[in-house]
Amino acid sequence: MNAGLLKGSCHCGAVKFEIRTPLLPATRCNCSLCRRKGALMTAAFAADDLTIVSGKEALTLYQFNTGVAKHFFCKHCGIYPFHQTRKDPGLWRANIGCLEGVDPYALEFSVSDGQSLSVVEDA
Ligand SMILES: [Zn+2]
C-alpha cells in the first residue's frame, strides 16, 4: 500500500492529525495496555510523518512499565489517536479506527508481542 496522506481525528474532534504512512502491515498488540484499548494500528512511521493539525492541548500522555513508549489520548473523549513506540522511540503508530475512509475491520493484521517487551511482571 502506498504512503498517501491519511487524515484522522479522535471521537470528539478536538484532536485532528495527518499521517503519511502505509496502513499495512496493520498490527494489534498483546501488551497490557493494548489488550484493554483494542485498537488496530498502522505500520510504524517516522515522527516527521505525523502532523498534529489541531488539539495538541487536548492530548494527554500516558506511560507505564519501562516508561519509553508515549501513549497519547484525548482528554475529552478518551480516544487513543497515536503513540510513540517502545521498540524505537523514533517511530510512531496511529489508530486505524481514527482514520477517515478506512474500515479497520476490513484489514488483515498480525499481533505484535508487546507483552514480551515489558520488564515488569504482569505489565
Ligand atoms: Zn477527543
Side-chain angles (χ1 to χ4, degrees):
M1 205 168 273
N2 66 355
L5 183 71
L6 296 162
K7 294 180 180 214
S9 62
C10 66
H11 189 260
C12 74
V15 178
K16 292 193 189 338
F17 62 98
E18 294 177 349
I19 51 174
R20 209 169 271 284
T21 178
L23 278 178
L24 304 178
T27 304
R28 290 187 192 278
C29 172
N30 65 2
C31 84
S32 57
L33 177 61
C34 290
R35 277 207 309 268
R36 286 165 170 82
K37 72 186 179 195
L40 183 64
M41 302 177 289
T42 62
F45 52 87
D48 286 350
D49 293 327
L50 167 70
T51 304
I52 299 171
V53 177
S54 65
K56 214 168 195 170
E57 70 290 343
L59 288 167
T60 292
L61 174 63
Y62 178 65
Q63 291 180 283
F64 69 104
N65 201 270
T66 62
V68 175
K70 291 185 173 160
H71 303 276
F72 291 95
F73 62 97
C74 172
K75 66 185 176 191
H76 303 293
C77 66
I79 293 299
Y80 142 73
F82 41 72
H83 76 282
Q84 186 179 0
T85 70
R86 155 80 174 82
K87 264 188 187 162
D88 181 345
L91 294 178
W92 292 63
R93 291 181 187 274
N95 180 353
I96 290 179
C98 288
L99 301 176
E100 278 177 21
V102 180
D103 178 2
Y105 298 101
L107 301 175
E108 295 204 357
F109 63 92
S110 59
V111 176
S112 116
D113 190 16
Q115 201 169 21
S116 69
L117 292 175
S118 294
V119 293
V120 178
E121 279 299 303
D122 197 32

